[in-house]
Amino acid sequence: MEAMKETVDLSLREMRETFASGRTRSVKWRKTQLKAIIEMVKDNEEKMCDVLFQDLGKHSTEAFRDELGFVMRSAATALNSLDKWVVPRKSNLPLLFYPATGKVISEPYGTVLVLSSWNFPISLSLDPMIGAISAGNTVLLKASELSPNASAFLAKTIPSYLDNKAIKVIEGGPDVATILLQHQWDKIFFTGSPRIGKIIMAAAAEHLTPVTLELGGKCPTIIDHHSVSKDIMSIVKRISGGKWGSCSGQACISVDYVLVEQSFASSLIEMFKPVIKSFFGENPKESGCVARIVTKKHFQRLSRLLNDPRVQASIVYGGSMDEEKLYVEPTILLNPPLDSEIMNEEIFGPILPIITLRDIQESIGFIKSKPKPLAIYAFTKDEKLKTRILSETSSGSVTFNDVMIQYMCDALPFGGVGESGMGRYHGKYSFECFSHEKAIMEGSLAIDLEPRYPPWNNFKLTFIRLAFCEAYFKLVLLMLGLKR
């Protein structure tokens, strides 16, 4: 580990020197790096798909949709928008400050640490990097050891395309992360579990380092079948695709469980069965369209959740597992015990509990009884229910009548609240995430208001009272001696 400590020290020193030189502040430099990211993905599409298959068993189409295509779009958006993003924003100052002027400029934090996750190892590494580069920072990426092939690819390939004095990649496990967190950074960006997020935040507090934490949680899906009965098959397909078609449910924004009225639960389950077969065939394990569980440790965690006898009794579809192939069949549970482990931790796998309620309006209270999720999904055309969801619950985002698409939309901020995270990114929000917004005010020496200075008297107190209220007409009267 001494060698790694020395590597980190040298890397950090070189990155700080590069930032201090001012090179990364240049818009030209930023655009060059963004273009290089796009070029890197285009040049290495097949290799990237290969490493994603090796690490997670992802089909190349899924890999392009969720990772490669997403990264290229993110970089292209930043490239095309950067000239607008960097322009100082004028502020409309109150008349009281005339003739002073104000503006806000976005300046880079400096040296940024990005701690990436294993479930989307390409996009969750490069997308935060795009934001940090757009804002003019130097970046050190710690790629996840749980996706070793993707991490090795990034460590080998990024230096060939990007400025390797400003942008660096380090591989390694928790020991390496510990070393990195012992150093002072200007900004830390982390994607992962709430448990590790707390460790990151505690380490950042030692240096008062700002952090963005993209965590997770149990994302509920409400189905109000009364108002969407004509579209129910489309709803089942969207939930199935979101749950089992994106890294086999190993996604922070994946559907974690479904809330539905008891009277509709049996019909819903029967609708899921043919959709799952149409997506993944009679034998999903051999379909090539179901990602595998990332490691044996994660497989054993899912196995433990399912092997609870009370949970086993709730299985209504699927449930088979193959530890050798790290495969868990798409599985549906009906009313597993609410005090079971599977209903009190993020599932992060291809298991879908369906929880029944007497009335769908009860879903609001159910969600409020849990920690704030990263996302709430609700299939409903009932405007009153939509209003209740928005006004009575708290979550990172709410998506009506679809699942997971909010992540792909860079016009909206993506981030959590409470246990599901803090901070936001994507599109311009990524630029803002890695920028300090500095207030600039330029005063004038042409006018000097005596009421701002001692000695104090009633006239000055009255002036200040009126100034705070922006009562300009009364201020004029006071100055003319017509008001006391």
Side-chain angles (χ1 to χ4, degrees), residues 269-270 273 312-318 331-334 352 354:
I269 292 166
E270 291 307 310
K273 293 177 182 179
Q312 275 193 332
S314 72
I315 296 174
V316 293
Y317 183 86
T331 299
I332 300 174
L333 313 177
L334 178 60
L352 180 64
I354 295 176

Side-chain angles (χ1 to χ4, degrees), residues 201-395:
M201 196 166 182
E206 290 292 319
H207 302 290
L208 297 179
T209 301
V211 297
T212 294
L213 302 176
E214 296 298 340
L215 307 178
K218 295 182 74 64
C219 299
T221 297
I222 300 168
I223 301 179
D224 170 26
H225 75 281
H226 298 291
S227 68
V228 293
S229 58
K230 293 180 180 179
D231 304 300
I232 203 68
M233 284 309 300
S234 178
I235 291 168
V236 170
K237 288 174 66 177
R238 292 183 184 194
I239 293 174
S240 298
K243 180 62 179 181
W244 296 296
S246 187
C247 202
S248 201
Q250 298 171 106
C252 59
I253 56 169
S254 176
V255 174
D256 194 275
Y257 61 93
V258 170
L259 296 171
V260 68
E261 288 187 4
Q262 186 173 358
S263 61
F264 186 65
S266 296
S267 299
L268 179 65
I269 292 166
E270 291 307 310
M271 292 177 187
F272 269 118
K273 293 177 182 179
V275 170
I276 293 171
K277 288 181 180 178
S278 72
F279 283 4
F280 308 112
E282 292 292 336
N283 185 1
K285 181 163 58 174
E286 305 301 330
S287 70
C289 294
V290 178
R292 66 171 173 268
I293 307 307
V294 64
T295 64
K296 184 172 288 189
K297 179 180 178 181
H298 283 263
F299 177 92
Q300 291 170 346
R301 179 186 65 82
L302 291 170
S303 178
R304 185 186 72 248
L305 295 179
L306 274 183
N307 285 335
D308 178 336
R310 299 179 303 160
V311 173
Q312 275 193 332
S314 72
I315 296 174
V316 293
Y317 183 86
S320 68
M321 309 179 82
D322 184 336
E323 184 168 355
E324 183 181 349
K325 293 190 175 182
L326 297 177
Y327 167 79
V328 177
E329 182 183 7
T331 299
I332 300 174
L333 313 177
L334 178 60
N335 286 324
L338 296 182
D339 63 350
S340 62
E341 193 175 1
I342 204 166
M343 286 307 299
N344 287 280
E345 72 168 55
E346 186 176 9
I347 295 173
F348 228 68
I351 305 165
L352 180 64
I354 295 176
I355 305 299
T356 62
L357 307 169
R358 183 185 59 81
D359 188 308
I360 201 62
Q361 298 292 332
E362 296 172 4
S363 60
I364 305 295
F366 190 96
I367 292 170
K368 288 171 66 176
S369 71
K370 306 288 185 182
K372 298 176 181 179
L374 186 57
I376 294 174
Y377 305 115
F379 290 92
T380 182
K381 295 180 181 178
D382 183 337
E383 295 302 322
K384 290 183 179 178
L385 180 57
K386 289 181 182 180
T387 298
R388 287 197 66 200
I389 292 169
L390 295 176
S391 62
E392 298 181 33
T393 68
S394 179
S395 59

Side-chain angles (χ1 to χ4, degrees), residues 113-117 140-142 177 180-181 188-191 200:
L113 172 63
V114 173
L115 298 165
S116 183
S117 185
L140 189 147
L141 167 66
K142 158 62 175 70
L180 291 168
L181 291 171
I188 297 176
F189 185 101
F190 169 73
T191 305
I200 303 295

